[in-house]
Amino acid sequence: MNAVAPFDHHTLGQRILFGSGRASHHLRLAVDEAGAASPMVIAGSSDRAIADAVLADLPYAVRFDEVRPHVPSELAERARVVARKAGADLLVSIGGGSTTGLAKAVALTTGLPIVAVPTTYAGSEATNVWGLTEAARKTTGQDNRVVPSVVVYDAELTRTLPRELSIASACNALAHCIDSLWAPRADPITTALATEAMTALVRALPDLAEHPDSLAGRERALYGAYLAAVVFAGAGSGLHHKICHVLGGRFDLPHAQTHAVVLPYVLAFNARCAPAAVSRIADALNTSDPVSGLRDLLESVGAPHALQTLGMPQEGVTESTDLILPLVPESNPRSVTRHDLAELLDSAWSGKSPS
Ligand code: NAD
């Protein structure tokens, strides 16, 4: 038996500039080093103040401020036309996963490089996954052209995130880590990074909830979120991500909050068949029982805990069971029957304690 089993790991090439209060400086550096003369800035109108502060006096060719969740195809097409007309030679995205997602959609067809300045813990900036929505159907794919060449992380930019979104977004990052442990391309590298990321995020969550002014908590969350995204890019989507993808697309549920609700149910379901994963999660949570440890942590920080409160109708449980069942990854440590999945979704819908 091998001490380390053979594996095939892809590392995405990008530069990470991390530093609180340094976003403007780092963005200028990235744009200068790219030799860009005509950047196109993508930042939603609701994130205008953050974008203005980060851009400072950076010259740009054009600014695009229409950002919507799940990147509607027609919006992506409009942004591509604006980029072409302005002769853009670089995309600068400032915002959460929806903003990064729009920049990725432009890069997908234009090949323009992206400098990403994330303002949430979603992590899209560190993956090669793009998503586009057409007629209420979200399509995703992987393409290295959409990987931002530089990511500028500045925890100061997350100060304005509402507390509830801050917590849900950090839970989204935690979900990347936990789900990666049984995801299809999990390997020793993704597992090691997931372990470090979980530790950072578990420490950050109480700070985000109780000390929202603490920069240390926000820095840990951002560091953990970056690692979590690298892990997600490497390991791929496990059962948890398949469930959230279907629910989000079908019922237009808020992304981060959906992840926060579903995560403890997937962990509770898989736990007894995934001893190695459970041991790592238990270490990160500093508990012998990670199922109740995660539940207690999420409860203590006030994370959302029922899909019904996010707007999912109860009839949606049966429909989603049908949609998710064929997508269950073969790598899942426990086989999943229709009954299991319906029960998991029903519990997550009502907010019944995961056990
Ligand atoms: P989001 O980008 O939709 O932002 C949510 C809300 O928070 C918006 O109203 C936004 O204006 C606001 N906001 C963002 N930053 C803020 C700040 N610092 N202060 C105040 N308000 C702020 O949500 P998200 O959770 O960051 O991203 C979700 C999207 O990202 C989903 O579409 C999801 O599919 C995608 N995503 C993609 C990947 C990938 O690898 N491709 C990974 C994770 C998430």
Side-chain angles (χ1 to χ4, degrees):
M1 193 173 159
N2 301 97
V4 177
F7 64 87
D8 174 3
H9 178 89
H10 287 249
T11 299
L12 300 174
Q14 60 179 190
R15 182 178 186 186
I16 306 301
L17 292 164
F18 193 106
S20 297
R22 294 172 188 225
S24 285
H25 168 68
H26 281 157
L27 176 61
R28 167 73 72 152
L29 188 78
V31 172
D32 286 350
E33 286 195 4
S38 309
M40 169 168 165
V41 174
I42 300 180
S45 49
S46 56
D47 302 325
R48 173 167 286 279
I50 299 178
D52 285 347
V54 173
L55 290 167
D57 55 359
L58 183 85
Y60 52 82
V62 67
R63 194 161 159 168
F64 192 86
D65 68 0
E66 195 187 344
V67 171
R68 285 196 269 138
H70 309 303
V71 196
S73 291
E74 65 278 9
L75 178 64
E77 200 38 52
R78 274 206 297 284
R80 289 167 184 152
V81 170
V82 169
R84 197 167 49 241
K85 282 192 176 156
D89 54 4
L90 176 79
L91 303 168
V92 173
S93 67
I94 306 172
S98 299
T99 310
T100 314
L102 179 58
K104 284 174 151 182
V106 177
L108 184 65
T109 56
T110 62
L112 288 171
I114 304 173
V115 175
V117 187
T119 61
T120 69
Y121 310 118
S124 175
E125 66 281 355
T127 81
N128 61 359
V129 179
W130 55 265
L132 281 167
T133 306
E134 197 157 11
R137 249 195 96 226
K138 188 164 182 175
T139 311
T140 59
Q142 284 177 287
D143 194 312
N144 286 356
R145 272 179 306 179
V146 309
V147 179
S149 48
V150 183
V151 184
V152 171
Y153 283 112
D154 181 342
E156 293 280 4
L157 306 183
T158 67
R159 279 196 191 279
T160 46
L161 266 178
R163 180 178 175 281
E164 184 261 332
L165 184 56
S166 219
I167 286 161
S169 192
C171 291
N172 183 187
L174 190 57
H176 292 333
C177 306
I178 291 182
D179 201 40
S180 78
L181 298 173
W182 42 65
R185 301 191 305 273
D187 65 40
I189 297 175
T190 60
T191 300
L193 292 179
T195 308
E196 168 72 1
M198 282 190 290
T199 305
L201 291 163
V202 163
R203 274 191 79 185
L205 271 163
D207 265 351
L208 296 180
E210 289 156 35
H211 309 289
D213 290 336
S214 151
L215 192 60
R218 292 179 181 282
E219 287 174 341
R220 279 194 196 100
L222 208 51
Y223 167 66
Y226 162 66
L227 290 180
V230 171
V231 163
F232 173 52
S237 292
L239 176 63
H240 168 88
H241 279 77
K242 295 292 184 192
I243 292 174
C244 292
H245 181 82
V246 168
L247 297 181
R250 175 62 189 86
F251 305 107
D252 197 22
L253 305 183
H255 179 82
Q257 291 86 338
T258 304
H259 279 267
V261 171
V262 171
L263 183 62
Y265 296 95
V266 174
L267 173 61
F269 179 77
N270 274 344
R272 69 181 161 85
C273 299
V278 158
S279 154
R280 285 179 187 269
I281 302 164
D283 284 352
L285 286 162
N286 197 19
T287 171
S288 58
D289 177 0
V291 173
S292 52
L294 179 66
R295 186 195 58 210
D296 294 348
L297 173 68
L298 299 187
E299 217 172 272
S300 71
V301 298
H305 64 277
L307 292 170
Q308 62 174 322
T309 63
L310 304 184
M312 179 175 161
Q314 189 166 18
E315 317 81 77
V317 167
T318 310
E319 187 187 342
S320 348
T321 304
D322 293 339
L323 292 171
I324 296 163
L325 201 60
L327 306 178
V328 173
E330 274 183 28
S331 63
N332 199 59
R334 181 173 164 190
S335 63
V336 183
T337 65
R338 174 176 297 276
H339 174 76
D340 294 332
L341 194 52
E343 199 170 73
L344 187 159
L345 291 172
D346 193 55
S347 302
W349 181 83
S350 64
K352 198 167 100 184
S353 182
S355 57

